[in-house]
């Protein structure tokens, strides 16, 4: 077996961590300081995937956006000054080759309504990571004077054909990764792309926005790695979104379950699916600051010994509350199956659900859940439901989730929560399905004030 198998970890660097020459240099230093063997997974340089999404939507200034993307990459490679000329020329030629490929791809744009469009779009979005992985290698070689190589994601991550939100085929991924590992040279630093995979036939797919965290976790499973490191622009998972509350503080250790709830309910620092492989295979995850690893971070592990407590608050904005009323529901069986059959048919992900005798209320993410990137509410789906029930939709809501341990065993919880939320109206509440959360919906306009009031009760 290849030496790379021993004591291997996966280190993922997010968009901000590879956004500039200086950021990549810091990420390189971070990897170099570690003693164990690492395979690096990178996101696109910060902002590049957003730019490519705009181009895919045929923004009127697409030509300018494309030029800016190319300039961003050129600016990084042009700052490399201490690399052998021959090697620098090699990386410059590789970058130029990928940029030319991108321009060619844009020439071949199919009709937006055609079935080929989603496939074309995935290939377009993959160019961000294609370029950043190459840039990471070039800066690595400059800073360390040792070799780096790109390990193309399409060679190891096998997915289904759900373009835009592909799901891994783990058996095939394991087999391909094992083959790859045998070919790797222990003296070379390997860098692979997050977010990208390929179908069995080799057609490029993407895992959904923010999917590089997920790629890192999948690579850890496929290689049997002992740890996943998520290096980002913040020193760990915080008690709440630090952009909403300046009192937010880092949590040194969390259980997988708590972290999974945080990610599902909106803590952008982790992709919601990224903990599934870690949970299934008990692989510890560390979240830290790419540039300042000495600041520490959050260790996510299977079991922690925390007393019942609320430990963090997550928020998801842009929620829709859908209420479905039907007198047929009264004492009838099969109503929910019929309703959820329609959601399944249109691949709509529902988050919270409450029911009464003749109605059911549920929440939908307006932008699509982070995991599947779908537009959640096609009008045809609503029309199908309206054939047997009355539908009401309320938008501009935020879903607030209190995350902690054995939430349901805390006798004082509801009192302090609703004292803190008051006078904001609560449009829906869910508790009980999970021992780790209590969720409710509030008008979006009150989000910041409610989060700050609730956060006052969270102890370090
Ligand atoms: P990356 O590009 O490295 O994947 P992201 O932007 O996806 O980084 O995630 C990091 C960001 O997540 C942080 O800068 C922070 O603003 C946001 N965030 C939201 N909620 C939390 C939280 N509870 N803890 C830490 N960061 C959070
Ligand atoms: N570059 C992709 C995105 O911006 C994936 C990632 O960064 O995780 O969504
Ligand atoms: Mg991210």
């Amino acid at each position: 077996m290849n030496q790379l198998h021993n004591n291997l970890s996966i280190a993922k660097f997010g968009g901000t961590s590879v956004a500039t020459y200086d950021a990549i240099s810091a990420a390189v230093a971070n990897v170099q300081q570690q003693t164990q063997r690492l395979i690096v997974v990178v996101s696109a340089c910060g902002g590049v995937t957003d730019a490519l999404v705009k181009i895919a939507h045929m923004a009127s200034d697409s030509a300018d956006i494309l030029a800016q993307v190319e300039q961003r990459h050129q600016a990084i490679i042009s700052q490399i000054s201490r690399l052998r000329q021959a090697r620098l020329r090699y990386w410059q030629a590789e970058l130029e080759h990928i940029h030319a490929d991108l321009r060619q791809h844009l020439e071949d744009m199919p009709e937006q309504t055609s079935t080929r469009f989603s496939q074309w779009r995935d290939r377009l979005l993959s160019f961000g990571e294609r370029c950043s992985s190459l840039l990471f290698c070039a800066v690595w070689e400059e800073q360390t004077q040792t070799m780096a190589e790109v390990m193309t994601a399409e060679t190891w991550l096998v997915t289904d054909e759900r373009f835009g939100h592909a799901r891994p085929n783990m058996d095939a991924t394991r087999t391909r990764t094992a083959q790859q590992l045998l070919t790797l040279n222990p003296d070379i630093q390997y860098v692979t792309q997050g977010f990208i995979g390929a179908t069995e036939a080799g057609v490029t797919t993407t895992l959904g926005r923010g999917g590089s965290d997920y790629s890192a976790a999948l690579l850890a499973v496929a290689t049997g790695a002992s740890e996943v490191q998520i290096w980002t622009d913040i020193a760990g998972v915080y008690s709440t979104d630090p952009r909403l509350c300046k009192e937010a503080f880092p949590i040194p250790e969390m259980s997988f379950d708590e972290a999974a709830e945080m990610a599902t309910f909106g803590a952008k620092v982790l992709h919601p699916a990224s903990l599934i492989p870690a949970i299934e295979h008990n692989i510890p995850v560390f979240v830290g600051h790419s540039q300042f690893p000495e600041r520490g971070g959050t260790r996510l592990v299977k079991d922690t010994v925390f007393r019942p407590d609320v430990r963090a608050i997550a928020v998801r904005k842009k929620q829709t509350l859908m209420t479905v009323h039907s007198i047929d529901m009264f004492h009838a069986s099969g109503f929910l199956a019929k309703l959820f059959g329609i959601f399944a048919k249109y691949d709509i992900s529902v988050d919270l659900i409450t029911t009464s005798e003749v109605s059911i209320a549920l929440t939908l993410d307006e932008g699509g859940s982070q995991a599947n990137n779908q537009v959640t509410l096609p009008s045809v789906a609503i029309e199908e439901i309206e054939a047997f029930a009355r539908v009401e939709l309320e938008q501009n809501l935020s879903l607030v989730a209190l995350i902690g341990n054995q939430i349901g065993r805390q006798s004082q919880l509801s009192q302090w929560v609703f004292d803190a939320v008051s006078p904001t109206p609560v449009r829906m509440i869910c508790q009980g399905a999970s021992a780790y959360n209590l969720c409710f919906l509030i008008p979006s306009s009150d989000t910041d004030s409610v989060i700050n009031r609730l956060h006052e009760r969270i102890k370090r």
Side-chain angles (χ1 to χ4, degrees):
M1 189 164 282
N2 191 290
Q3 291 174 37
L4 269 171
H5 272 85
N6 301 328
N7 196 19
L8 175 69
S9 294
I10 307 300
K12 177 257 170 178
F13 290 89
T16 321
S17 313
V18 293
T20 60
Y21 171 79
D22 289 342
I24 301 179
S25 301
V28 165
N30 179 331
V31 173
Q32 215 186 355
Q33 276 158 23
Q34 301 196 44
T35 49
Q36 78 274 40
R37 185 73 212 189
L38 290 166
I39 295 182
V40 170
V41 176
V42 287
S43 292
C45 304
V48 166
T49 311
D50 288 336
L52 296 171
V53 168
K54 282 190 195 143
I55 295 175
H57 290 156
M58 295 202 296
S60 53
D61 53 347
S62 283
D64 291 343
I65 299 174
L66 177 65
Q68 282 162 19
V69 165
E70 292 193 7
Q71 275 161 19
R72 289 273 312 273
H73 298 148
Q74 298 289 5
I76 294 173
I77 210 158
S78 67
Q79 287 181 72
I80 297 178
S81 58
R82 291 177 288 115
L83 187 58
R84 271 190 307 117
Q85 274 305 313
R87 206 57 194 157
L88 181 58
R89 274 201 299 275
Y90 166 78
W91 291 116
Q92 281 165 334
E94 286 286 292
L95 183 63
E96 182 43 43
H97 178 74
I98 300 179
H99 281 167
D101 200 4
L102 166 58
R103 277 177 247 130
Q104 177 63 48
H105 187 67
L106 290 173
E107 298 284 308
D108 300 336
M109 182 178 187
E111 286 286 311
Q112 283 211 322
T113 46
S114 74
T115 46
R116 218 163 57 79
F117 183 76
S118 53
Q119 186 174 323
W120 176 87
R121 186 178 184 273
D122 265 13
R123 178 142 177 91
L124 171 60
L125 298 194
S126 75
F127 279 94
E129 272 74 7
R130 273 180 219 289
C131 294
S132 62
S133 51
L134 179 162
L135 293 167
F136 195 105
C137 286
V139 177
W140 172 274
E141 292 196 346
E142 181 203 32
Q143 309 272 309
T144 68
Q145 300 299 319
T146 61
M147 295 263 289
E149 248 177 49
V150 174
M151 182 174 118
T152 307
E154 283 120 321
T155 61
W156 64 267
L157 180 51
V158 184
T159 73
D160 62 13
E161 295 183 352
R162 294 158 66 104
F163 295 102
H165 50 108
R167 292 180 186 161
N169 171 339
M170 272 330 276
D171 288 341
T173 297
R174 270 206 194 83
T175 311
R176 295 269 180 94
T177 307
Q179 288 161 355
Q180 274 285 319
L181 285 184
L182 291 173
T183 67
L184 302 187
N185 176 341
D187 296 326
I188 293 177
Q189 175 59 53
Y190 289 94
V191 180
T192 191
Q193 301 97 0
F195 184 53
I196 314 178
T199 64
E200 294 253 24
V203 180
T204 304
T205 53
T206 63
L207 301 179
R209 296 304 307 271
S212 297
D213 300 332
Y214 193 24
S215 300
L218 295 170
L219 184 58
V221 172
T223 55
S226 49
E227 186 189 32
V228 180
Q229 305 173 355
I230 304 287
W231 296 106
T232 180
D233 58 1
I234 189 162
V237 180
Y238 274 49
S239 51
T240 192
D241 187 338
R243 293 167 298 185
L244 300 183
C245 173
K246 61 180 186 337
E247 306 298 327
F249 52 84
I251 303 176
E253 191 174 86
M254 287 187 109
S255 67
F256 285 145
D257 294 312
E258 288 174 314
E261 299 274 355
M262 287 289 282
T264 306
F265 289 108
K268 191 179 170 235
V269 64
L270 288 170
H271 182 278
S274 62
L275 288 164
I276 301 168
I279 293 171
E280 282 173 3
H281 298 270
N282 193 12
I283 305 172
V285 179
F286 178 78
V287 183
H289 199 304
S290 163
Q291 218 177 331
F292 308 107
E294 68 284 357
R295 289 187 188 168
T298 303
R299 199 156 285 288
L300 308 179
V301 288
K302 188 160 183 267
D303 297 309
T304 49
V305 272
F306 286 118
R307 60 194 164 76
D309 206 352
V310 175
R311 310 225 308 137
I313 308 165
V315 192
R316 251 160 74 172
K317 292 186 176 172
K318 294 194 179 159
Q319 301 297 301
T320 297
L321 176 63
M322 181 182 210
T323 318
V324 182
H325 307 267
S326 173
I327 202 75
D328 291 350
M329 209 179 140
F330 189 66
H331 287 158
S333 59
F335 182 88
L336 291 181
K338 196 164 156 189
L339 182 62
F340 281 90
I342 295 172
F343 291 136
K345 179 169 152 194
Y346 292 99
D347 204 12
I348 297 168
S349 134
V350 173
D351 294 311
L352 305 186
I353 309 164
T354 59
T355 59
S356 77
E357 264 314 82
V358 291
S359 60
I360 165 162
L362 40 91
T363 66
L364 307 164
D365 202 307
E366 280 161 39
S369 80
Q370 212 191 348
N372 71 15
N373 257 348
Q374 286 292 289
V375 176
T376 46
L377 219 52
S379 51
V380 277
I382 299 179
E383 280 163 24
E384 276 191 42
I385 300 168
E386 280 178 335
F388 60 89
R390 184 161 56 84
V391 177
E392 270 173 50
L393 295 172
E394 186 177 335
Q395 288 178 307
N396 297 325
L397 298 167
S398 286
L399 194 168
V400 177
L402 298 182
I403 316 283
N405 299 299
Q406 296 166 36
I407 291 263
R409 306 235 171 123
Q410 296 178 53
S411 54
Q412 308 296 318
L413 182 72
S414 355
Q415 192 188 336
W416 77 254
V417 171
F418 292 107
D419 279 351
V421 175
S422 165
T424 294
V426 173
R427 300 292 303 113
M428 180 189 187
I429 306 173
C430 269
Q431 199 220 314
S434 154
Y436 304 97
N437 76 49
L438 180 154
C439 302
F440 51 89
L441 271 187
I442 55 168
S444 280
S445 51
D446 286 357
T447 313
D448 293 15
S449 57
V450 167
I451 298 303
N452 278 279
R453 291 202 298 270
L454 284 168
H455 192 268
E456 282 171 22
R457 302 294 297 259
I458 309 263
K459 293 184 202 74
R460 269 185 191 261

